[in-house]
Short mmCIF file of all heavy atoms in Angstrom, two decimals:
data_model
loop_
_atom_site.label_atom_id
_atom_site.label_comp_id
_atom_site.label_asym_id
_atom_site.label_seq_id
_atom_site.Cartn_x
_atom_site.Cartn_y
_atom_site.Cartn_z
N GLU A 1204 21.11 13.29 -35.30
CA GLU A 1204 21.77 13.92 -36.44
C GLU A 1204 21.76 15.43 -36.35
O GLU A 1204 22.69 16.11 -36.77
CB GLU A 1204 21.11 13.50 -37.76
CG GLU A 1204 21.76 12.28 -38.37
CD GLU A 1204 20.91 11.70 -39.47
OE1 GLU A 1204 20.19 12.47 -40.13
OE2 GLU A 1204 20.98 10.46 -39.66
N ALA A 1205 20.65 15.92 -35.79
CA ALA A 1205 20.56 17.38 -35.70
C ALA A 1205 21.47 17.92 -34.61
O ALA A 1205 21.62 19.11 -34.45
CB ALA A 1205 19.12 17.77 -35.43
N GLY A 1206 22.09 17.01 -33.90
CA GLY A 1206 22.94 17.43 -32.78
C GLY A 1206 24.24 18.03 -33.27
O GLY A 1206 24.49 18.18 -34.46
N GLU A 1207 25.05 18.36 -32.34
CA GLU A 1207 26.32 19.00 -32.68
C GLU A 1207 27.26 17.98 -33.31
O GLU A 1207 27.90 17.19 -32.63
CB GLU A 1207 26.95 19.56 -31.40
CG GLU A 1207 28.15 20.40 -31.68
CD GLU A 1207 28.95 20.65 -30.41
OE1 GLU A 1207 28.75 19.94 -29.43
OE2 GLU A 1207 29.81 21.53 -30.44
N ALA A 1208 27.31 17.97 -34.63
CA ALA A 1208 28.19 17.05 -35.31
C ALA A 1208 29.62 17.60 -35.30
O ALA A 1208 29.82 18.80 -35.39
CB ALA A 1208 27.72 16.85 -36.74
N ARG A 1209 30.58 16.70 -35.16
CA ARG A 1209 31.99 17.12 -35.17
C ARG A 1209 32.69 16.40 -36.30
O ARG A 1209 32.34 15.28 -36.66
CB ARG A 1209 32.63 16.79 -33.82
CG ARG A 1209 32.00 17.52 -32.66
CD ARG A 1209 32.71 17.21 -31.37
NE ARG A 1209 34.01 17.88 -31.29
CZ ARG A 1209 34.15 19.15 -30.91
NH1 ARG A 1209 33.09 19.86 -30.60
NH2 ARG A 1209 35.35 19.68 -30.85
N VAL A 1210 33.66 17.08 -36.84
CA VAL A 1210 34.43 16.45 -37.90
C VAL A 1210 35.85 16.22 -37.37
O VAL A 1210 36.39 17.05 -36.64
CB VAL A 1210 34.41 17.33 -39.18
CG1 VAL A 1210 35.10 18.66 -38.95
CG2 VAL A 1210 35.05 16.59 -40.32
N VAL A 1211 36.39 15.05 -37.66
CA VAL A 1211 37.73 14.73 -37.20
C VAL A 1211 38.60 14.43 -38.42
O VAL A 1211 38.30 13.51 -39.18
CB VAL A 1211 37.74 13.53 -36.24
CG1 VAL A 1211 39.16 13.25 -35.75
CG2 VAL A 1211 36.80 13.76 -35.08
N VAL A 1212 39.62 15.23 -38.60
CA VAL A 1212 40.52 15.08 -39.75
C VAL A 1212 41.79 14.38 -39.27
O VAL A 1212 42.40 14.81 -38.31
CB VAL A 1212 40.88 16.45 -40.34
CG1 VAL A 1212 41.84 16.29 -41.52
CG2 VAL A 1212 39.62 17.20 -40.75
N THR A 1213 42.16 13.31 -39.95
CA THR A 1213 43.43 12.67 -39.66
C THR A 1213 44.40 13.01 -40.78
O THR A 1213 44.09 12.81 -41.96
CB THR A 1213 43.27 11.15 -39.54
OG1 THR A 1213 42.16 10.88 -38.70
CG2 THR A 1213 44.52 10.52 -38.94
N THR A 1214 45.53 13.53 -40.42
CA THR A 1214 46.49 13.94 -41.43
C THR A 1214 47.89 13.62 -40.93
O THR A 1214 48.05 12.92 -39.92
CB THR A 1214 46.32 15.45 -41.74
OG1 THR A 1214 47.30 15.84 -42.67
CG2 THR A 1214 46.44 16.28 -40.50
N THR A 1215 48.91 14.09 -41.62
CA THR A 1215 50.27 13.86 -41.12
C THR A 1215 50.56 14.87 -40.03
O THR A 1215 49.89 15.91 -39.93
CB THR A 1215 51.29 14.00 -42.24
OG1 THR A 1215 51.19 15.34 -42.75
CG2 THR A 1215 51.03 12.99 -43.35
N PHE A 1216 51.58 14.61 -39.24
CA PHE A 1216 51.94 15.52 -38.16
C PHE A 1216 52.28 16.90 -38.73
O PHE A 1216 51.89 17.92 -38.17
CB PHE A 1216 53.14 14.91 -37.41
CG PHE A 1216 53.36 15.55 -36.08
CD1 PHE A 1216 52.55 15.22 -35.00
CD2 PHE A 1216 54.36 16.49 -35.91
CE1 PHE A 1216 52.75 15.82 -33.77
CE2 PHE A 1216 54.56 17.08 -34.68
CZ PHE A 1216 53.75 16.75 -33.60
#
Side-chain angles (χ1 to χ4, degrees):
Chain A
E1204 268 167 30
E1207 188 194 16
R1209 298 182 74 82
V1210 64
V1211 182
V1212 179
T1213 312
T1214 177
T1215 60
F1216 196 77

